[in-house]
Amino acid sequence: MTTAAFPNLFRPLQLRAVRLKNRIMSTGHDTILPTDGLVNDALIAYHEARARGGVGLIVSQVAGVHETARYTSHMLMATDDRCIEGYRKLADACHSHGSIVFSQLFHPGREIMEGADGLLTPAYAPSVSPNERFRVMPRQLDLRMIDEIVAGYANAARRMHQAGLDGVEFVASHGYLPAQFFNPRVNRRTDNYGGPLENRLRFAVEALMAMRSATSEDFVIGMRISGSERDEQGLTSDEALESCRQLEPYLDYVSVTAGTSASLGGAVHIVPPMAYRSAYLASDGSRFRRALNIPVFLAGRINQPHEAEAVLAQGAADVCGMTRALICDPEMPVKASEGRSDDIRACIACNQACIGHFHRGVPISCIQHPETGRELKFGTLTLAARPKKIMVVGGGPAGMKAAATAAVRGHQVTLYEASTQLGGQAQLAQLLPRRAEFGGIITNLSRELELAQVRVVKGVRVDYALVNAEKPDAVIVATGARPYLPEIPCDGSVQIVEAWQVLKKQVKTGSRVVVADWRCDWIGPGVAEMLVNDGCSVELAVNGTHPGELLPLYVRDNIASELHKSGIRVTPYARLFGSDDGAVYMQHSVSAQPIIFENIDTLVLCLGHEPEDELSAMLDSMAEVHMIGDCLAPRTAEEAVYEGLKIGVAL
């Protein structure tokens, strides 16, 4: 084992009686894996995969400390002793691989997302200060309930201690209840819990002291806080830092992040998309680390080992949160420690299957590593009972994943790609503004092909004759899709092109452009922004309620921010009809009234895709033919890679 390239990253850290073997942390994050509010086998398998992969510290997702803490209907709860058994199994599983385990202890205050059975849940906060994002008007906590919640923190900490966890994390980040007490614009109380900073910190002091009394001197107690909530009404950097200074005697570490759940703009920083540079919170970490005498943990798009090493080397943190990096590649730490950095599957911060799944209420996964969240089903690949000769047609994400998976299982696999480059539509996706990292999926899957020793043939279009000559045992058709181009009434006065032509720079659009966006994903807004950057005047017409309607929330909101800053006018509910006499005609999809864009040079079509499935029809007489990805039905890279995994496992 070699750690020479990362001397800081693989240096142990002592916290009370606990020794972290390295400085890599999986921060607390929701997974939607638990059932009935309890740790289950799926959650244990999820965390154990990361422990097996070498992570130093696992901080398990939030556990509610009081019945009023249920900010979603699918969260873990630590409000009675039934939780202890599951946490004990989790701790034992992770400890067996040398990883340390903490649990977040949590109360959201006014940050209530949804309740059980679709009913609105009463929210409680220091004061009647409304939440902008979820439109929640909370009830002010009375003294009795404050005492109950403080006791809830203590009892939850005791249960984690009894379960054999190594510590707990007091969640004061992202505008949750402790931060609501800290914030003088949210906490407008006039009793001993409001007013001067000492009073506003009283709730946290009482909770932290109660947690210590309920556990032991060896038990680690830390706090997570947003170094700045990045919102006009949020906790400022100065306020957050002074709160940490005052609470330092009660803490073993501070874990710094950014943003707040209370506003759309602040919430983007909870899981920042690829539009944000790697390790963009390093300056926040440095400021806190200089001011405090306890270790500072830092998260915020620290994506690869060399980035984490740089953060540690410059003194910006003592431990690096690398959660999405570990979601994408659970073996990242051991690969880095063994000098196999080129084998690491780097996260591209698309947010689609990690936080995107959370916001849809479905279990966590990763578009590049669909085994994530499905460890019980796909955690271990077994060799095929009878190796087959397999022909994979199409070198996009679906075909690449299918080929790599099948080859790992012992099959003889050849991948054919008609063009000279692998990657399919990901080659185009990376051309859009702030989406260059999407090309990482090509790099990562290409490396999987290399490691699996898949034979790759480029520049060859497969037809029936080639398949017949090769005589494979099975054919996997992953030929992708092409732009959907419906018949549009027009007189030729407006140039009509499709998004792929714009991305490939195959057309000149003229100065006034309308982008017709049926899909409501990232393509339409990205093309619109690209054209504005080229000097065009652009209108974006979306056949939905808003741009990016299908995207993960934080990606959508970042796109909305950029569209607004670019001055791109957005027209929602716009169904394309046709064009003539220099105008583009649309119909309001609800009122059926006309929408007219006049004096237009070019109409750019972002109307979705249709399957490239001609080959599958030719092969209909063959014994074993499988269709995956967009040639089966045009969707996203997530479905393509998942279907590649599934067929690779099934053959």
Side-chain angles (χ1 to χ4, degrees), residues 381-390 402-413 451-454 473 648-649 651:
L381 294 181
T382 58
L383 289 175
R386 183 177 71 84
K388 296 180 179 180
K389 180 181 180 180
I390 297 175
T405 305
V408 166
R409 296 190 59 243
H411 295 298
Q412 178 190 339
V413 183
L451 293 173
Q453 299 183 338
V454 173
D473 297 308
V649 168
L651 287 174

Side-chain angles (χ1 to χ4, degrees), residues 18 64 129 196 215 217 275 278 318 419 446 493 555 576 622 627-628 631:
V18 170
S129 299
T215 55
E217 284 302 310
S278 297
D318 297 283
S419 74
S446 295
S493 61
V555 178
L576 180 61
M622 293 197 169
M627 296 175 63
I628 60 173
C631 75

Side-chain angles (χ1 to χ4, degrees), residues 127-139:
S127 302
V128 182
S129 299
N131 163 282
E132 177 183 276
R133 182 175 171 218
F134 301 127
R135 296 172 181 84
V136 168
M137 186 66 73
R139 179 178 179 81

Side-chain angles (χ1 to χ4, degrees), residues 323-613:
T323 306
R324 280 179 289 174
L326 291 158
I327 292 171
C328 188
D329 193 340
E331 297 179 348
M332 177 268 291
V334 73
K335 289 177 180 178
S337 71
E338 294 176 353
R340 296 189 289 126
S341 293
D342 288 346
D343 296 348
I344 293 171
R345 186 186 305 103
C347 167
I348 59 175
C350 67
N351 283 8
Q352 184 169 334
C354 49
I355 190 67
H357 274 206
F358 166 70
H359 286 140
R360 289 161 51 199
V362 296
I364 193 170
S365 193
C366 175
I367 73 166
Q368 298 193 79
H369 190 62
E371 295 92 334
T372 285
R374 302 181 176 99
E375 285 81 8
L376 294 177
K377 184 174 183 180
F378 297 115
T380 303
L381 294 181
T382 58
L383 289 175
R386 183 177 71 84
K388 296 180 179 180
K389 180 181 180 180
I390 297 175
M391 191 173 189
V392 179
V393 185
M400 295 170 81
K401 185 65 176 181
T405 305
V408 166
R409 296 190 59 243
H411 295 298
Q412 178 190 339
V413 183
T414 302
L415 171 66
Y416 289 86
E417 166 54 40
S419 74
T420 57
Q421 290 183 304
L422 297 174
Q425 291 182 53
Q427 292 283 357
L428 297 173
Q430 66 183 340
L431 301 177
L432 290 167
R434 302 181 317 286
R435 301 260 327 163
E437 279 189 66
F438 204 91
I441 195 172
I442 306 171
T443 304
N444 294 330
L445 287 169
S446 295
R447 184 59 176 165
E448 289 188 33
L449 291 174
E450 292 174 18
L451 293 173
Q453 299 183 338
V454 173
R455 177 174 174 250
V456 177
V457 179
K458 302 176 188 175
V460 173
R461 184 170 292 277
V462 174
D463 56 16
Y464 180 87
L466 180 56
V467 176
N468 192 48
E470 289 290 322
K471 293 183 169 48
D473 297 308
V475 180
I476 300 172
V477 181
T479 45
R482 55 180 171 259
Y484 173 63
L485 302 175
E487 291 188 15
I488 301 169
C490 61
D491 64 357
S493 61
V494 175
Q495 178 184 213
I496 299 177
V497 301
E498 39 88 3
W500 290 19
Q501 292 174 294
V502 175
L503 292 171
K504 294 176 181 179
K505 303 292 186 182
Q506 294 175 338
V507 294
K508 293 184 178 180
T509 61
S511 61
R512 288 186 52 78
V513 181
V514 170
V515 176
D517 180 10
W518 167 82
R519 176 69 179 164
C520 294
D521 59 7
W522 43 268
I523 301 174
V527 168
E529 188 181 341
M530 173 182 278
L531 291 172
V532 165
N533 292 340
D534 288 342
C536 300
S537 173
V538 181
E539 307 227 26
L540 176 63
V542 297
N543 193 350
T545 59
H546 54 267
E549 186 176 347
L550 295 186
L551 296 176
L553 302 187
Y554 305 149
V555 178
R556 175 204 70 188
D557 293 336
N558 176 256
I559 284 174
S561 170
E562 295 301 326
L563 289 173
H564 186 262
K565 287 188 288 187
S566 298
I568 297 171
R569 192 173 78 168
V570 177
T571 302
Y573 297 99
R575 175 190 295 141
L576 180 61
F577 181 79
S579 72
D580 68 21
D581 197 23
V584 172
Y585 296 92
M586 298 195 182
Q587 182 184 51
H588 193 281
S589 59
V590 180
S591 73
Q593 296 297 301
I595 302 172
I596 304 173
F597 301 91
E598 297 181 306
N599 301 315
I600 301 301
D601 297 311
T602 302
L603 169 64
V604 180
L605 304 180
C606 302
L607 304 182
H609 305 92
E610 60 181 350
E612 289 268 16
D613 59 353

Side-chain angles (χ1 to χ4, degrees), residues 183-384:
N183 187 337
R185 289 161 298 285
V186 177
N187 179 358
R188 294 176 285 103
R189 300 176 73 100
T190 57
D191 60 8
N192 288 338
Y193 291 93
L197 179 60
E198 180 183 5
N199 284 2
R200 287 183 276 119
L201 295 178
R202 190 179 306 279
F203 172 79
V205 169
E206 291 178 353
L208 292 167
M209 290 179 65
M211 290 155 64
R212 176 62 65 200
S213 296
T215 55
S216 72
E217 284 302 310
D218 290 340
F219 198 65
V220 176
I221 298 177
M223 179 175 75
R224 195 173 203 206
I225 192 167
S226 294
S228 165
E229 291 187 0
R230 270 36 178 207
D231 182 73
E232 294 251 334
Q233 297 299 310
L235 206 62
T236 67
S237 180
D238 289 344
E239 290 167 340
L241 182 55
E242 187 56 33
S243 297
C244 290
R245 282 199 189 102
Q246 298 298 320
L247 294 173
E248 188 171 3
Y250 310 98
L251 298 169
D252 297 313
Y253 71 87
V254 167
S255 183
V256 176
T257 180
T260 175
S261 175
S263 69
L264 294 175
V268 169
H269 298 276
I270 296 175
V271 187
M274 70 177 74
Y276 289 84
R277 70 181 188 279
S278 297
Y280 77 110
L281 297 179
S283 59
D284 296 59
S286 294
R287 185 171 187 232
F288 277 70
R289 194 166 183 267
R290 286 194 303 268
L292 300 174
N293 296 309
I294 54 177
V296 170
F297 301 177
L298 181 69
R301 285 225 64 206
I302 305 173
N303 197 37
Q304 299 213 50
H306 68 272
E307 295 164 359
E309 178 67 25
V311 167
L312 297 168
Q314 71 190 53
D318 297 283
V319 172
C320 290
M322 305 183 71
T323 306
R324 280 179 289 174
L326 291 158
I327 292 171
C328 188
D329 193 340
E331 297 179 348
M332 177 268 291
V334 73
K335 289 177 180 178
S337 71
E338 294 176 353
R340 296 189 289 126
S341 293
D342 288 346
D343 296 348
I344 293 171
R345 186 186 305 103
C347 167
I348 59 175
C350 67
N351 283 8
Q352 184 169 334
C354 49
I355 190 67
H357 274 206
F358 166 70
H359 286 140
R360 289 161 51 199
V362 296
I364 193 170
S365 193
C366 175
I367 73 166
Q368 298 193 79
H369 190 62
E371 295 92 334
T372 285
R374 302 181 176 99
E375 285 81 8
L376 294 177
K377 184 174 183 180
F378 297 115
T380 303
L381 294 181
T382 58
L383 289 175

